[in-house]
Amino acid sequence: MSGTDDRPVLAVRLDDLFKTVRPKGRNWTNAEVAEELKRVNPDIKAGGVYLSQLRTGKRSNPSPDLLAALARFFGVSVAYFFDDEVAESVLDEAAAMEALRQAGVRSVAMRAAGMKKEHLLAITAIMDQYRQMQGLPPVTDLTDSPPSAARSDPSDPG
């Protein structure tokens, strides 16, 4: 959550879902999401205006059923709305999926699938150099283990 955003955490997180998570590969309006929620569960009390109010922080106390329905719709755990670590993980994954949608990125990923780790590290180093030459920020991938962990002999200091 941005330090300058004074909306409640729930509003920011719901808004982030609308902006970054793309069920069925598309952006959804408040009204479309409300309609879909009601189609799946006619007992849900939510309209496009109410979802807009939740996203802006004008309303801030949705029912547990509505939160569960929103979580199901966006494919996240209800914990996303309350747990910082879960929220960060969801948004990181959404950013990765968005990157894969960019032209060419999927093609590179498909070519890398199945390659040996040392070859992937070499290709990654080359790509990092090209990113630097283009003035792009470095990529931090926390899922990769540090190079020292890749040693075959843990007792070898170097």
Side-chain angles (χ1 to χ4, degrees), residues 46-59:
V49 171
Y50 183 64
L51 291 181
S52 175
Q53 292 172 336
L54 287 173
R55 290 175 68 183
T56 60
K58 290 180 181 165
R59 299 288 296 268

Side-chain angles (χ1 to χ4, degrees), residues 108 111-112 115-130:
V108 171
R111 284 172 174 77
M115 295 181 81
K116 292 182 179 178
K117 184 169 185 160
E118 60 267 20
H119 296 147
L120 289 174
L121 290 172
I123 291 168
T124 301
I126 292 167
M127 292 176 78
D128 286 344
Q129 289 175 351
Y130 274 100

Side-chain angles (χ1 to χ4, degrees), residues 44-156:
I44 289 290
K45 305 278 191 264
V49 171
Y50 183 64
L51 291 181
S52 175
Q53 292 172 336
L54 287 173
R55 290 175 68 183
T56 60
K58 290 180 181 165
R59 299 288 296 268
S60 60
N61 194 19
S63 71
D65 289 342
L66 178 57
L67 281 181
L70 286 164
R72 271 191 308 278
F73 176 80
F74 285 106
V76 300
S77 163
V78 174
Y80 164 83
F81 295 110
F82 308 104
D83 185 304
D84 293 342
E85 287 181 26
V86 171
E88 184 177 342
S89 174
V90 165
L91 295 177
D92 286 348
E93 188 174 319
M97 293 304 295
E98 186 61 30
L100 282 174
R101 286 188 186 99
Q102 292 180 15
V105 174
R106 175 178 256 153
S107 175
V108 171
M110 295 300 290
R111 284 172 174 77
M115 295 181 81
K116 292 182 179 178
K117 184 169 185 160
E118 60 267 20
H119 296 147
L120 289 174
L121 290 172
I123 291 168
T124 301
I126 292 167
M127 292 176 78
D128 286 344
Q129 289 175 351
Y130 274 100
R131 287 184 64 82
Q132 185 178 14
M133 288 179 357
Q134 292 183 11
L136 296 170
V139 174
T140 304
D141 186 356
L142 301 177
T143 62
D144 287 341
S145 55
S148 61
R151 289 192 190 112
S152 58
D153 183 359
S155 64
D156 180 19

Side-chain angles (χ1 to χ4, degrees), residues 12-23 25-28 55 74 76 80 87-99 101:
V12 173
R13 291 198 177 150
L14 181 58
D15 195 42
D16 284 344
L17 284 179
F18 270 87
K19 291 177 179 176
T20 60
V21 179
R22 309 237 185 315
R26 63 189 277 276
N27 292 323
W28 292 74
R55 290 175 68 183
F74 285 106
V76 300
Y80 164 83
E88 184 177 342
S89 174
V90 165
L91 295 177
D92 286 348
E93 188 174 319
M97 293 304 295
E98 186 61 30
R101 286 188 186 99

